[in-house]
Amino acid sequence: ANMVNAYVRCADMVGAASTLRLMGHSTLKPTVATFTAMIKGYCNACNMVQALEILGRMDTEHVSPNIRTFNALLRGCVRLGAIDVAVAVLHRMCSSSSTLPDRSAIEHVATLLCQGLRLEQARAFVSSGQLPAQRSSASLVDTLLEHPSLQGRGVTSIPAQSTQDARPFIELATGGCLLSDWSLATDALDAASQLLKASNNPTSARSKDKERARSVNLFEKHRTEEMCRAVNALRSIAAADEASVDKQHGAGRLLGYFGQLLVFQDQGETWPEANMLSLIHISEPTRLLSLSYAGFC
């Protein structure tokens, strides 16, 4: 699993696939961690077909996917804009009591629904946990995501507590602003604000590792602050456009929200060209969440 993961981190899916084949010819059997790494690699390479085929192999070899497996698929769906695949993944997760959607899974699906402007489905999903309807077809998606052992276990919603996070409501508000649906945007922002207010005094993360607990709490603090900024920015956009006579500027005003730039103020002095800073964005998958860092050089 470590060798496969190393190839995946180097974006070498040929090497990863070769290692997986070698395992098939030995006494070593791929584990859920091995298959999940392969799915993550194919999703990063925008190859959803291969990722789904790996999921099908897991079913054939009776290796049960876990929450990380499904979240790797959902991150790939966000990268590719594959809404229907994400909905199918969500239905499969909800059909198995061992892989109910977590906060990340709900956020990924809500993001896709809002980006696809399926706002009614998104509203029902983030507000009451109602699952978006699947589009039936005889596609590869259906074949690989509808495991035989799960057939007949139709699930229409997820537990209400699973959706109690502000981020999906922020995505819903963004979609409302894009379509100048100010009522939807305002309702979603109100819900996000209430959830953020309730999380102002988070309990300390339970962990025997004090440094890990401190890291988790720090991450949650920054995440909450980021969402508060997003709520304030969107509320300003919604308020300005709702009061405007011209209702066609909603999408235009969002450019300022999506086009936030980092500006360095030189205090009136001219910086030498050699001292200018470049911003590098680094994403690091961790066991907790996908964290993003900004590095300067």
Side-chain angles (χ1 to χ4, degrees), residues 21-270:
R21 284 195 298 271
L22 288 175
M23 293 180 71
H25 297 303
S26 70
T27 57
L28 296 174
K29 298 300 179 184
T31 64
V32 63
T34 309
F35 286 126
T36 298
M38 290 294 297
I39 288 174
K40 180 177 72 173
Y42 282 127
C43 286
N44 289 342
C46 298
N47 192 336
M48 183 58 67
V49 172
Q50 288 287 346
L52 290 173
E53 287 182 353
I54 292 293
L55 182 66
R57 178 173 170 181
M58 293 178 72
D59 292 337
T60 301
E61 299 186 15
H62 305 289
V63 178
S64 298
N66 58 24
I67 189 65
R68 293 176 185 166
T69 310
F70 288 122
N71 277 337
L73 273 171
L74 289 174
R75 283 193 294 273
C77 291
V78 172
R79 180 185 290 263
L80 291 169
I83 302 176
D84 293 327
V85 177
V87 171
V89 170
L90 183 69
H91 275 266
R92 172 157 176 181
M93 293 175 73
C94 293
S95 297
S96 173
S97 59
S98 61
T99 54
L100 288 176
D102 63 358
R103 184 175 71 180
S104 295
I106 292 168
E107 181 178 323
H108 292 324
V109 175
T111 297
L112 276 166
L113 290 173
C114 293
Q115 287 177 349
L117 300 182
R118 300 185 187 181
L119 299 189
E120 288 306 315
Q121 286 186 328
R123 187 209 296 260
F125 178 55
V126 303
S127 299
S128 60
Q130 181 180 333
L131 298 186
Q134 283 184 276
R135 296 183 178 181
S136 59
S137 66
S139 66
L140 175 68
V141 174
D142 297 318
T143 303
L144 296 180
L145 291 177
E146 294 181 1
H147 191 270
S149 66
L150 303 176
Q151 291 180 1
R153 297 177 59 187
V155 178
T156 59
S157 64
I158 57 178
Q161 63 269 24
S162 299
T163 60
Q164 297 306 297
D165 184 66
R167 175 57 68 181
F169 287 98
I170 294 173
E171 297 292 344
L172 184 59
T174 304
C177 288
L178 281 170
L179 295 183
S180 296
D181 188 339
W182 308 118
S183 176
L184 171 63
T186 300
D187 289 346
L189 289 171
D190 288 344
S193 296
Q194 290 179 4
L195 290 168
L196 288 170
K197 187 180 295 184
S199 65
N200 276 343
N201 298 309
T203 56
S204 298
R206 294 180 179 179
S207 175
K208 295 180 180 179
D209 186 343
K210 292 183 178 180
E211 286 300 318
R212 176 173 173 77
R214 178 176 175 274
S215 176
V216 170
N217 287 332
L218 185 61
F219 170 79
E220 292 296 339
K221 177 177 179 291
H222 285 307
R223 183 175 185 271
T224 299
E225 291 173 350
E226 181 184 61
M227 289 191 290
C228 287
R229 288 193 294 269
V231 166
N232 292 335
L234 288 169
R235 197 178 289 281
S236 175
I237 292 168
D241 277 275
E242 190 174 16
S244 175
V245 176
D246 184 357
K247 301 295 184 182
Q248 303 301 316
H249 291 164
R253 288 181 183 273
L254 279 176
L255 290 176
Y257 171 66
F258 289 117
Q260 297 177 33
L261 300 176
L262 185 61
V263 178
F264 297 96
Q265 189 171 358
D266 60 7
Q267 303 299 328
E269 296 183 9
T270 302

